[in-house]
Amino acid sequence: MAKKQVNLNARIFFLYMGMTLLFLVLIVRFGILQIFQHQEMTERALAAAQDNVVRQSPRGKILDRNGRELAISRIAKLLVVRPDRVGSEEDIQVLAAELSPIVGIKAEEIANNIREGGTYYAVKHGLESDEEAAINQLKKDKGYECIWMDDEVKRCYPNDMLAANVIGFIGMEDKGLAGLEYSLDSVVKGDVQEDNVITDMKGQTIFDSIFSLSQHRYQGDNCKTVTLTIDASMQFIVEQTLDKAMLDNNPKSVTAIVMDPKTGEVLAMASRPSYNPNKFGDYSMDAMRNIAVSDIYEPGSTFKSIVAGAALEDGVVTPDQTFYDPGRITVSEKHIQNWNGESFGTVTFTDIVKNSINTCFAMIGQILTGKRLNEYARNFGFGEITGIELPGEEPGMLFESSEMLDSDVATMSIGQSIAVTPLQLVTAMSAIANDGVLLKPHIVKEITNADGSVYKENGREEVRRVLSSATDKTLMGLLEQVVATGGGQKAQVKGYRVAGKTGTAQKINKDTAGYMEGRYIASFCGFAPVENPELVVLVIIDDPTSGEFYGGQIAAPVASEIFSQLLRYKHIEPSSDPFADMDKNNKNLPQYEVTKAPPGKQVMPDLHGLSIREVSQKLGELGIGLSIQGTGLSSGQSIPANTVVEPGTSVTVYFTP
């Protein structure tokens, strides 16, 4: 019995010693793992369970000058399937059948894409909230490990087509593809955050808040908000007017720009045809182009504003200087004739501008020389990009002065054989409306950081003085005469003084380098009110096909409509013209002492205090010629009131602001 007890104790001892030894081995092994192999084991564990998640923050907003949202973003979900984890053919068909009614895609299309294999199949972008909820429920009910949802940015344009050609649109991966979305992509693009997270066997994140904090990586400094100079209400007015112009004239396209001449801010910029950036895939590339900056064309007679300013500045002409218009001239075998094919006879320079007489402008260009014409054109900003924030801007085309023939000088003087962009022309006209000072145009007013601090601010930026103040005031008076009594009368706005220049240019045949028969570009560019210009408007109608094609007939009325609505929208008081809205027979009109004229004679009226338009109308009714000096209201006349004169007599009337 004692022997058995000894054996039992021996066995217990050896068992105890064995267990102790094993425990010591485990302790030593655990110590080795914890102390010497800790880093290696941690990395191996993380490698097996760690996953990389990319989170996209929203793209920055684009706002109009008053804070109205033009482009906004939200984080949406992207449905993803991992084909290599779906399983058998039967599993593919079941999954496709269950996803189809949720995402609105045919089951067979989903199944075919899964059958192609791989590790990533993006089923649908920008899931709606109900679709997202349905997919989450499906995952919960069926336990699918092969489907999940990723974050992505969904860009929205709440005003649909409004300013679409300016704003542009984005494609996949939050990338701007057109307009400001493209040119400012690096500024407004959403921030990317990458997190390393730990997942379980089903791919679900665990301890995310712990591990991601230590592994978080940040990329980019974007998401900024862009505030434009555009006024959404003014943009709407312009676009609505262009829609009507499209119906009335059936052209290839219509373009309009509205600019503040005192700041260089673009207040509206629109083209038709256009597109809806929310559905950009439904439109052609032509509809997406911003014609205002990316298309060049021959400006025609609107360019004569620049030529007139150059001639006045260089002292080549004076407003009352006379020329003889033969109706047709030949320069280096190039035939130039007037728009009506007729001669205006002996005319003043004022008449030349007012009636847009080609032959006389060609003669004046020869006096100026090609070198001076080019210098003035470049000073006004032609031949180079303006540097506006929009993409795709063209520099236009001018002659090389050393290579110009006499015929080139003549054609350039009437706005032919050169090419400009609409933006260049409205910027040049703005210089005339801004006392002869050229400003750099801009369409971005301010860029702010996510915290509201200012990242960048654009203001008035002078480029250079292009005309002296005295010359510019004279030129403004001539351009007002164009609208008051010349070819731009349909641009008039009741109660306001408007100045500008019309243009009608033949379209270039890109195949033959000549002109297309019966194809024209009609335009008008002007400013108002003349006494204190606040708006410059350019309207271009490309290839009208409904009958009329002259700028004064179809572009000027569109400009008038835009001026009329915008002047009232901006609460700009009517011009200081005492007769602007008064009936000529109104008893409140001042009564002048009138001497009765002998038969065949006329009596010179008292013109004091009248606008250029009123003076022109009054003298026109009497058959008396007019020469204008200055701009504003009449302050004197070369022939005293009540003087008996011969019909056809010309009187010089002096105007002051």
Side-chain angles (χ1 to χ4, degrees):
M1 184 70 181
K3 187 176 181 179
K4 289 182 178 180
Q5 184 64 40
V6 170
N7 289 337
L8 180 59
N9 290 338
R11 289 176 181 176
I12 292 174
F13 174 76
F14 285 119
L15 178 61
Y16 172 78
M17 292 300 294
M19 292 179 66
T20 301
L21 181 62
L22 180 60
F23 181 73
L24 290 173
V25 171
L26 289 174
I27 291 295
V28 172
R29 180 58 179 163
F30 184 76
I32 292 173
L33 290 175
Q34 286 294 316
I35 298 172
F36 299 104
Q37 295 182 321
H38 171 76
Q39 186 64 31
E40 179 186 349
M41 292 297 103
T42 301
E43 291 176 357
R44 289 173 62 181
L46 288 175
Q50 186 171 265
D51 195 6
N52 181 263
V53 176
V54 177
R55 294 192 176 104
Q56 179 75 54
S57 63
R59 192 176 181 87
K61 294 180 180 180
I62 298 178
L63 311 174
D64 88 327
R65 67 186 301 115
N66 300 311
R68 180 173 174 180
E69 294 177 337
L70 301 177
I72 57 176
S73 292
R74 66 177 179 86
I75 296 299
K77 292 293 184 179
L78 163 65
L79 175 60
V80 178
V81 170
R82 183 163 179 172
D84 61 355
R85 290 187 179 180
V86 175
S88 65
E89 174 62 26
E90 182 180 353
D91 294 330
I92 292 175
Q93 293 182 12
V94 171
L95 178 60
E98 291 178 327
L99 291 178
S100 177
I102 297 176
V103 298
I105 301 175
K106 292 182 179 179
E108 189 60 25
E109 180 181 341
I110 296 175
N112 287 336
N113 285 318
I114 295 175
R115 292 187 187 106
E116 292 180 2
T119 60
Y120 193 92
Y121 160 40
V123 182
K124 185 176 181 180
H125 294 272
L127 295 174
E128 300 296 335
S129 57
D130 57 336
E131 295 173 328
E132 183 181 343
I135 292 168
N136 282 328
Q137 188 62 46
L138 180 64
K139 288 187 66 176
K140 181 179 179 181
D141 295 341
K142 298 298 181 70
Y144 284 126
E145 299 178 12
C146 58
I147 64 174
W148 72 92
M149 289 177 286
D150 280 345
D151 287 344
E152 67 171 2
V153 173
K154 183 174 182 180
R155 195 64 157 170
C156 301
Y157 303 93
N159 304 293
D160 292 331
M161 296 180 71
L162 189 74
N165 300 93
V166 171
I167 299 170
F169 58 91
I170 69 169
M172 299 301 177
E173 300 180 353
D174 195 30
K175 184 175 180 62
L177 299 181
L180 290 168
E181 294 278 33
Y182 173 79
S183 61
L184 299 178
D185 189 60
S186 62
V187 173
V188 297
K189 187 178 179 66
D191 286 327
V192 176
Q193 298 177 15
E194 292 187 11
D195 291 325
N196 289 332
V197 297
I198 305 303
T199 60
D200 61 16
M201 294 182 64
K202 293 184 177 182
Q204 297 176 334
T205 302
I206 57 176
F207 303 122
D208 185 27
S209 61
I210 299 175
F211 288 98
S212 63
L213 284 174
S214 61
Q215 301 293 332
H216 174 74
R217 296 193 302 276
Y218 176 80
Q219 295 181 348
D221 181 25
N222 313 310
C223 300
K224 294 176 173 59
T225 295
V226 176
T227 300
L228 305 183
T229 60
I230 281 179
D231 184 313
S233 297
M234 297 176 72
Q235 180 78 19
F236 177 77
I237 290 170
V238 171
E239 292 194 17
Q240 193 175 47
T241 307
L242 294 191
D243 287 334
K244 184 176 183 299
M246 288 289 287
L247 292 174
D248 291 343
N249 302 287
N250 193 30
K252 177 183 177 183
S253 67
V254 185
T255 303
I257 305 174
V258 180
M259 182 175 287
D260 183 337
K262 298 175 182 177
T263 63
E265 293 180 338
V266 175
L267 302 176
M269 178 183 285
S271 299
R272 287 294 185 269
S274 186
Y275 70 105
N276 185 342
N278 292 305
K279 303 174 182 178
F280 64 87
D282 297 340
Y283 298 85
S284 68
M285 292 301 296
D286 281 343
M288 300 177 190
R289 286 185 307 109
N290 188 352
I291 297 174
V293 298
S294 64
D295 277 23
I296 58 175
Y297 73 107
E298 288 193 353
S301 295
T302 52
F303 188 75
K304 292 174 182 174
S305 303
I306 311 303
V307 179
L312 289 168
E313 184 76 1
D314 275 13
V316 171
V317 297
T318 59
D320 57 353
Q321 184 174 339
T322 59
F323 293 80
Y324 178 74
D325 164 38
R328 177 186 175 96
I329 62 173
T330 301
V331 182
S332 301
E333 301 182 355
K334 177 76 174 180
H335 301 297
I336 294 177
Q337 64 181 30
N338 295 324
W339 58 272
N340 60 1
E342 299 178 359
S343 167
F344 285 85
T346 300
V347 290
T348 65
F349 182 65
T350 298
D351 296 323
I352 293 170
V353 176
K354 182 175 71 174
N355 297 307
S356 197
I357 302 176
N358 286 339
T359 56
C360 293
F361 266 103
M363 289 186 278
I364 292 169
Q366 299 294 321
I367 301 171
L368 265 173
T369 74
K371 179 181 179 181
R372 291 299 286 158
L373 269 178
N374 263 332
E375 288 176 354
Y376 274 102
R378 294 190 185 280
N379 280 342
F380 269 95
F382 297 104
E384 61 183 17
I385 62 173
T386 66
I388 198 169
E389 299 89 346
L390 293 164
E393 185 181 7
E394 287 288 334
M397 294 186 297
L398 295 177
F399 288 105
E400 288 293 336
S401 300
S402 60
E403 300 175 0
M404 292 183 73
L405 304 174
D406 288 343
S407 58
D408 297 328
V409 177
T411 55
M412 182 178 179
S413 300
I414 61 174
Q416 293 182 354
S417 304
I418 59 172
V420 306
T421 65
L423 180 63
Q424 287 174 336
L425 187 61
V426 77
T427 302
M429 186 62 78
S430 292
I432 296 173
N434 186 43
D435 196 41
V437 177
L438 181 72
L439 303 180
K440 180 180 178 180
H442 60 283
I443 202 166
V444 174
K445 189 175 185 68
E446 183 181 70
I447 300 175
T448 54
N449 296 307
D451 62 2
S453 60
V454 176
Y455 171 75
K456 184 179 181 181
E457 190 172 14
N458 293 328
R460 185 179 189 272
E461 183 177 341
E462 290 190 11
V463 179
R464 67 182 72 89
R465 175 169 284 282
V466 293
L467 295 174
S468 67
S469 182
T471 297
D472 192 71
K473 284 181 172 59
T474 301
L475 179 58
M476 290 174 69
L478 296 180
L479 295 178
E480 183 178 9
Q481 183 75 347
V482 172
V483 177
T485 61
Q489 293 184 57
K490 290 192 175 182
Q492 293 177 4
V493 178
K494 187 176 182 180
Y496 294 89
R497 295 168 56 196
V498 181
K501 189 72 187 72
T502 62
T504 308
Q506 284 184 279
K507 290 196 67 172
I508 298 174
N509 190 325
K510 296 180 181 179
D511 297 327
T512 64
Y515 291 101
M516 302 170 69
E517 185 68 29
R519 309 282 288 279
Y520 300 92
I521 296 177
S523 60
F524 175 88
C525 191
F527 51 89
V530 173
E531 67 274 17
N532 183 27
E534 294 196 39
L535 297 172
V536 177
V537 173
L538 169 65
V539 173
I540 300 174
I541 303 178
D542 184 0
D543 204 9
T545 59
S546 294
E548 296 288 353
F549 58 85
Y550 287 113
Q553 294 296 318
I554 61 175
V558 177
S560 173
E561 179 65 22
I562 293 173
F563 272 128
S564 178
Q565 294 193 57
L566 295 189
L567 287 166
R568 287 163 176 78
Y569 168 76
K570 287 176 66 66
H571 304 292
I572 297 174
E573 293 293 329
S575 298
S576 53
D577 183 344
F579 298 95
D581 292 312
M582 299 172 66
D583 190 298
K584 290 184 178 181
N585 296 319
N586 192 301
K587 63 180 181 180
N588 293 322
L589 283 176
Q591 302 299 310
Y592 300 109
E593 179 185 354
V594 178
T595 301
K596 185 176 180 180
K601 306 287 185 179
Q602 291 292 354
V603 175
M604 181 64 64
D606 186 347
L607 304 171
H608 182 76
L610 303 184
S611 68
I612 292 177
R613 183 193 306 175
E614 283 292 326
V615 169
S616 299
Q617 291 174 346
K618 184 176 288 291
L619 295 181
E621 293 170 358
L622 299 175
I624 298 175
L626 170 64
S627 177
I628 297 173
Q629 291 283 353
T631 183
L633 301 180
S634 172
S635 59
Q637 57 195 84
S638 61
I639 301 176
N642 300 319
T643 302
V644 177
V645 297
E646 296 284 343
T649 298
S650 182
V651 59
T652 299
V653 181
Y654 303 92
F655 295 85
T656 55

